[in-house]
Amino acid sequence: MRRSCSELKNARGHTLQCSHYLPSPFPEDTSLPCVIYCHGNSGCRADANEAAVILLPSNITVFTLDFSGSGLSDGNYVSLGWHEKDDLKMVVSYLRSNKQISRIGLWGRSMGAVTSLLYGAEDPSIAGMVLDSAFSNLYDLMMELVDVYKIRLPKFTVKMAVQYMRRVIEKKAKFDIMDLNCLLVARKTFIPVLFGHGSDDKFIQPHHSDLISESYAGDKNIIKFDGDHNSSRPQFFYDSVSIFFYNVLHPPQVSRADKLEKYYDLGDLKLGSGVNENLIYEILSSLRSATADAASSSSALPTISTTKSVTELLSEVAPSADLESVFTEEIAHDNNEPTNDVQNTLDVFATPLRSMKEKCSEAKEDEKKLKKNKSKIKKKKKKKGETADKKGKGDRFEKLEALSRRLRHCLLKGSIHRRHESS
């Protein structure tokens, strides 16, 4: 994973700090989908780390930003979604101009969820949205918080205070709190959506997501989980988010060959980068001789080059380890014809010409003795061969296992050394 940082200017002239999480290496010949993560009130773009961990393994990139008035971006006020939707619009336009980005999804939390919904109502090209802890109506939320925090004032006094705050906010932050009504926009939005809400959330209570879901016009699903407004989300919710975005964004699939290459790839591990060069070549040379004993005598042994990476050396040595021949030797012994020892035994029983009577009687006796001796010789050779094979195979396997342990230890030591250097 790698992160690229950039700066964008919104319509009000504020510079916004942005980050784009990308897989490493980025496939140059393939366009990948992108999810824009929208942080909550008092949050910042660092909150998108959890989204990057969840989505990058599925070949979905993650773009995030500090909204105006948050994090390191310019601005003095947040508007709980009203002006933030314009910041989001600018980001979407920026990503649309990038040919390496295909479909776009939105993932918002709290204020970011409201922002995503307000923008999604204006842009039906968004592929899908995840809305975590969105409020349905800002005015209703403010009235609820009075009860939650047990502010003992008459209702008419609270309403007068809210109206006063409305005028102040409109003058300073340039938006009307009465316009922040997600129920109105939900009725005309058809983007597939996944709602999430903590069942113990006291700040924005779960019924807000229920109300939005009931009014929502598009395909929808809602997940409730244990936790409050700011608690960590459970793994099953993240799994649901990953599956949801995979279905709506259709990221390119990684072929099985690419997965295996990535899994077995030792990266840029070269001789000399924390790995004992002499020890590596000693192990590979020993491994070469050990596998030569196990392989067929007709197989050509690979040559070891001193200018290649450890990965290439291993790929050269590994094919010579044809351990199948070890298991076929036993079968070959059972199928062998009588050897020279048997033939010598036959020569011993050969006799000169005698009378026909003696020759016939002796021939019968010789035939019986020959059969007995052949069976005895076969039994002895079989026992002798099995003992030698077992001993030889055991020695070879022990040797290969010891070399394998040494090789793993050497490579592991080198990779740990590289991590310490980079840190």
Side-chain angles (χ1 to χ4, degrees):
M1 177 180 74
R2 63 185 178 92
R3 186 186 70 171
S4 63
C5 298
S6 58
E7 294 182 350
L8 299 175
K9 276 193 178 294
N10 64 11
R12 294 177 290 162
H14 296 156
T15 300
L16 307 181
Q17 302 296 327
C18 307
S19 297
H20 197 179
Y21 295 86
L22 303 163
S24 181
F26 190 92
E28 296 181 357
D29 56 342
T30 306
S31 59
L32 299 183
C34 180
V35 168
I36 304 173
Y37 187 88
C38 304
H39 63 78
N41 183 31
S42 301
C44 65
R45 56 186 166 141
D47 298 342
N49 290 339
E50 59 180 2
V53 172
I54 298 300
L55 299 177
L56 280 178
S58 299
N59 273 341
I60 300 173
T61 69
V62 177
F63 193 96
T64 185
L65 72 156
D66 290 335
F67 285 117
S68 178
S70 301
L72 300 177
S73 295
D74 296 343
N76 299 319
Y77 304 102
V78 296
S79 58
L80 300 179
W82 186 256
H83 291 308
E84 284 76 9
K85 76 174 185 297
D86 295 329
D87 295 345
L88 181 56
K89 182 178 181 180
M90 178 202 55
V91 169
V92 172
S93 177
Y94 168 76
L95 292 175
R96 294 283 188 214
S97 65
N98 188 341
K99 294 182 179 180
Q100 289 190 298
I101 301 299
S102 56
R103 296 177 178 87
I104 294 178
L106 305 178
W107 183 351
R109 183 161 176 173
S110 189
M111 178 186 76
V114 175
T115 303
S116 300
L117 184 54
L118 293 176
Y119 176 75
E122 301 175 357
D123 186 358
S125 68
I126 297 297
M129 299 187 296
V130 172
L131 307 180
D132 185 349
S133 307
F135 59 80
S136 60
N137 185 300
L138 182 56
Y139 178 80
D140 292 342
L141 175 63
M142 295 171 69
M143 298 301 293
E144 285 177 4
L145 291 176
V146 172
D147 295 332
V148 170
Y149 293 103
K150 298 180 180 178
I151 301 174
R152 297 181 179 179
L153 290 173
K155 280 288 183 183
F156 75 91
T157 307
V158 174
K159 290 182 179 180
M160 288 179 61
V162 170
Q163 290 298 327
Y164 172 76
M165 291 173 59
R166 177 185 178 185
R167 290 194 296 270
V168 172
I169 292 172
E170 190 170 5
K171 183 178 180 179
K172 292 188 175 182
K174 309 299 181 184
F175 78 99
D176 188 352
I177 61 174
M178 294 300 180
D179 292 336
L180 282 172
N181 190 334
C182 293
L183 298 179
L184 296 178
V185 298
R187 296 168 187 165
K188 55 182 180 179
T189 308
F190 295 88
I191 300 169
V193 65
L194 175 65
F195 294 99
H197 217 116
S199 56
D200 301 321
D201 194 339
K202 302 300 182 185
F203 185 69
I204 300 177
Q205 298 179 36
H207 71 265
H208 282 269
S209 288
D210 293 332
L211 291 172
I212 300 173
S213 179
E214 291 172 4
S215 301
Y216 199 79
D219 294 335
K220 57 198 173 187
N221 197 2
I222 186 167
I223 298 177
K224 300 286 183 65
F225 41 80
D226 295 336
D228 56 27
H229 191 70
N230 296 312
S231 62
S232 299
R233 297 325 189 203
Q235 185 60 43
F236 79 86
F237 176 69
Y238 288 137
D239 293 339
S240 301
V241 171
S242 178
I243 294 170
F244 171 79
F245 277 128
Y246 187 88
N247 289 333
V248 299
L249 296 177
H250 306 294
Q253 295 184 357
V254 180
S255 66
R256 189 170 184 271
D258 293 339
K259 287 182 179 178
L260 290 175
E261 182 181 354
K262 185 177 182 181
Y263 181 79
Y264 290 108
D265 187 17
L266 297 178
D268 56 351
L269 181 61
K270 305 289 183 182
L271 295 180
S273 60
V275 182
N276 189 322
E277 180 177 351
N278 295 329
L279 182 57
I280 280 289
Y281 281 106
E282 178 190 345
I283 293 173
L284 292 177
S285 299
S286 303
L287 181 61
R288 182 187 178 202
S289 61
T291 53
D293 295 336
S296 171
S297 60
S298 61
S299 60
L301 298 178
T303 58
I304 298 179
S305 172
T306 58
T307 61
K308 297 184 178 180
S309 67
V310 177
T311 308
E312 293 170 324
L313 289 172
L314 288 174
S315 65
E316 288 183 352
V317 175
S320 66
D322 187 11
L323 297 181
E324 215 175 294
S325 60
V326 175
F327 299 102
T328 57
E329 287 179 4
E330 186 175 355
I331 300 173
H333 276 295
D334 293 339
N335 295 333
N336 276 342
E337 297 296 328
T339 59
N340 291 333
D341 294 335
V342 179
Q343 187 62 43
N344 292 337
T345 306
L346 293 175
D347 295 338
V348 170
F349 288 101
T351 57
L353 292 175
R354 297 177 186 176
S355 62
M356 293 298 294
K357 186 177 181 180
E358 291 176 347
K359 188 175 180 182
C360 290
S361 60
E362 287 178 2
K364 290 180 181 178
E365 291 177 2
D366 290 343
E367 187 177 359
K368 291 179 181 178
K369 290 179 182 179
L370 178 61
K371 289 180 180 179
K372 289 181 181 179
N373 280 297
K374 282 176 69 177
S375 62
K376 288 180 182 179
I377 290 170
K378 280 187 177 182
K379 288 180 181 178
K380 286 181 181 179
K381 277 190 67 63
K382 188 175 181 180
K383 290 181 180 178
K384 198 173 186 180
E386 287 178 354
T387 305
D389 288 344
K390 288 179 181 178
K391 185 176 180 182
K393 284 187 287 184
D395 292 341
R396 284 195 292 272
F397 281 124
E398 288 178 5
K399 189 174 181 181
L400 288 170
E401 182 62 26
L403 291 170
S404 177
R405 286 197 298 269
R406 291 182 66 193
L407 185 58
R408 287 197 300 269
H409 175 72
C410 182
L411 295 178
L412 180 61
K413 181 179 178 183
S415 61
I416 293 173
H417 175 77
R418 286 195 302 148
R419 284 200 298 270
H420 287 322
E421 277 190 345
S422 62
S423 62

